Amino acid sequence: ILDYVVEREGVLVSALSSEKWPGDAKVHVSIVNWIQAPSTVPTRFVLDDLDVVGITTSLTAEGGLPEVVALPANAGRCFQGPIPVGAGFIIDEAAARGLLNDGRAPYDRVVRPYLVGEDIAVDPAQRPRRWIIDFVSMSLEEAQRFPAALAVVEERVRPDRMQNRDRGFRDKWWQFGRPRGEMRQAIGGLPRYLAGTATGKRLLLSWCEPSWCPSNLTNVFAFDDDYAFGVLTSAAHVAWAWHRSSTLKGDLRYTPTTVFASFPWPSPVSDEKRADVSGVAAELFTARQALCTSDQVGLTRLYNTMDDGGYRELAALHARLDRAVAVAYGWPASVSQDRDELVSRLAHRNVEIAGGAEYVPFAPLVPIGESTPAQTSFYDA
């Protein structure tokens, strides 16, 4: 929002970057004052009750870091999950099994495991624990081929949709309100994809099966390779996430447009350095899953214990990964745990790329029509 203000000649003059809301709601807020297209340049700027030389749209003091921009090459890889707009789409295990066992139609095309952020954080296998009816972009005629599922949506979703002021929600009541067609296109040819928690005390990512439907309480990353998992799990990306994100009650709130869009990946990067990151990332993921399974803990409990001094081998793997990613950027391994230094280097790299520096962050996605038989899109139907 503040980027929008400043791009249109607004000047931020005072702000409180974060404070508890004085009312009953348990939230934190930011309070910002700006002058729209001032006739004279303001001479005083106050941030968190301190005089500063200027205020950035991240609500930090100017002079320390350059302003960053979205990088076009990052487009089409990170998305908020679909928004159903109707709790009636979500069904319990018994209802899902009933539909899946109905032999009159292939209901597994529209009845899908439904992944929310809590599943990633709490479930030892990071698997969905609920189900959802998802007609993707089907016409009503196509949806009628799944009559039992459509009847559920007609009973539980349609009445509320008919009262919605959004005409699109009323006219296509059987579809999600925000189905995220671009996201589906991006992950449609992949054998797996990454999803991450949208809010929380830490950023947690895990692999997802193509048939799972991610919720709007997750962010979807259209990658299927260990290298991408390594970069996104590294201290560099986490530091950038905290720098660029808004917060919710002091928790991280990751949004694709503010965090991922401006995140400069290692580029250029040699095959050897890419292989180093991939190897450690795959080893880390395997070790992490083994611990979650053996101790029956979710990622939140796992990492809380690691931060308290436990799971030292896992901590060592994370340190190895952070060093490998730093080296992939061409930086000394010694900066891999210095959050401020990582953010500074990433911000300056963003500016270099925006100015025309070479940037090929990752290979292009394979279009769905060119996918191999082993990667047939779940969304082809």
Side-chain angles (χ1 to χ4, degrees), residues 227-240:
Y227 173 74
F229 174 76
V231 173
L232 294 172
T233 304
S234 72
H237 180 240
V238 172
W240 190 251

Side-chain angles (χ1 to χ4, degrees), residues 75-79 180-190 192-193 220-223 365-368 379:
R77 289 288 190 145
C78 183
F79 312 85
R180 304 294 187 218
E182 291 184 357
M183 179 212 78
R184 297 176 189 267
Q185 177 75 14
I187 67 175
L190 302 179
R192 61 179 182 176
Y193 65 88
V220 172
F221 301 84
F223 298 94
L365 286 167
V366 177
I368 289 179
Y379 299 107

Side-chain angles (χ1 to χ4, degrees), residues 10-31:
V11 178
L12 312 184
V13 292
S14 66
L16 290 173
S17 59
S18 181
E19 71 169 18
K20 292 183 178 179
W21 182 252
D24 294 333
K26 295 181 179 180
V27 297
H28 288 232
V29 298
S30 299
I31 301 175

Side-chain angles (χ1 to χ4, degrees), residues 72-371:
N74 285 19
R77 289 288 190 145
C78 183
F79 312 85
Q80 181 192 36
I83 305 176
V85 187
F89 286 105
I90 302 170
I91 56 177
D92 60 24
E93 177 84 13
R97 292 300 173 192
L99 290 170
L100 292 170
N101 292 331
D102 188 329
R104 293 175 296 173
Y107 280 96
D108 60 339
R109 305 301 300 183
V110 298
V111 178
R112 309 176 57 197
Y114 186 51
L115 184 77
V116 300
E118 187 178 65
D119 297 326
I120 299 173
V122 174
D123 186 75
Q126 295 96 61
R127 297 185 65 86
R129 296 174 295 175
R130 65 190 76 185
W131 296 77
I132 195 163
I133 297 172
D134 177 16
F135 289 112
V136 195
S137 57
M138 293 182 186
S139 66
L140 182 57
E141 295 90 334
E142 292 170 315
Q144 287 173 341
R145 299 173 186 170
F146 307 90
L150 186 62
V152 173
V153 173
E154 186 162 15
E155 177 185 352
R156 299 176 55 182
V157 176
R158 187 177 187 181
D160 288 339
R161 282 288 194 89
M162 292 298 102
Q163 305 302 316
N164 199 293
R165 289 183 296 178
D166 189 308
R167 180 177 177 179
F169 293 172
R170 298 195 304 271
D171 290 349
K172 295 186 177 181
W173 52 267
W174 65 94
Q175 294 182 9
F176 288 175
R178 296 286 182 263
R180 304 294 187 218
E182 291 184 357
M183 179 212 78
R184 297 176 189 267
Q185 177 75 14
I187 67 175
L190 302 179
R192 61 179 182 176
Y193 65 88
L194 282 167
T197 48
T199 62
K201 296 187 182 300
R202 64 179 85 239
L203 175 62
L204 300 170
L205 297 104
S206 192
W207 291 113
C208 300
E209 296 179 13
S211 62
W212 296 357
C213 177
S215 79
N216 58 297
L217 300 178
T218 68
N219 289 306
V220 172
F221 301 84
F223 298 94
D224 64 351
D225 58 294
D226 293 321
Y227 173 74
F229 174 76
V231 173
L232 294 172
T233 304
S234 72
H237 180 240
V238 172
W240 190 251
W242 278 102
H243 172 64
R244 291 287 295 165
S245 289
S246 59
T247 57
L248 182 65
K249 297 188 295 183
D251 289 352
L252 178 71
R253 185 171 183 270
Y254 191 110
T255 54
T257 53
T258 54
V259 182
F260 186 88
S262 60
F263 176 65
W265 287 63
S267 176
V269 58
S270 67
D271 291 343
E272 180 181 2
K273 291 177 180 178
R274 183 184 295 269
D276 288 343
V277 172
S278 298
V280 181
E283 187 178 350
L284 186 154
F285 183 79
T286 299
R288 190 182 79 175
Q289 295 311 103
L291 290 171
C292 286
T293 300
S294 64
D295 294 1
Q296 281 299 289
V297 295
L299 293 181
T300 294
R301 286 185 59 188
L302 181 82
Y303 283 114
N304 285 346
T305 300
M306 189 185 84
D307 289 347
D308 289 340
Y311 299 128
R312 301 319 301 160
E313 292 184 2
L314 181 64
L317 282 170
H318 272 281
R320 279 179 55 199
L321 176 64
D322 295 339
R323 290 193 296 270
V325 171
V327 171
Y329 277 103
W331 305 334
S334 58
V335 309
S336 63
Q337 300 301 314
D338 188 332
R339 177 175 288 189
D340 291 340
E341 180 66 17
L342 289 170
V343 169
S344 177
R345 287 173 179 263
L346 289 167
H348 285 91
R349 180 57 179 154
N350 174 285
V351 172
E352 290 174 359
I353 295 166
E358 180 182 358
Y359 186 54
V360 184
F362 26 72
L365 286 167
V366 177
I368 289 179
E370 300 175 17
S371 60

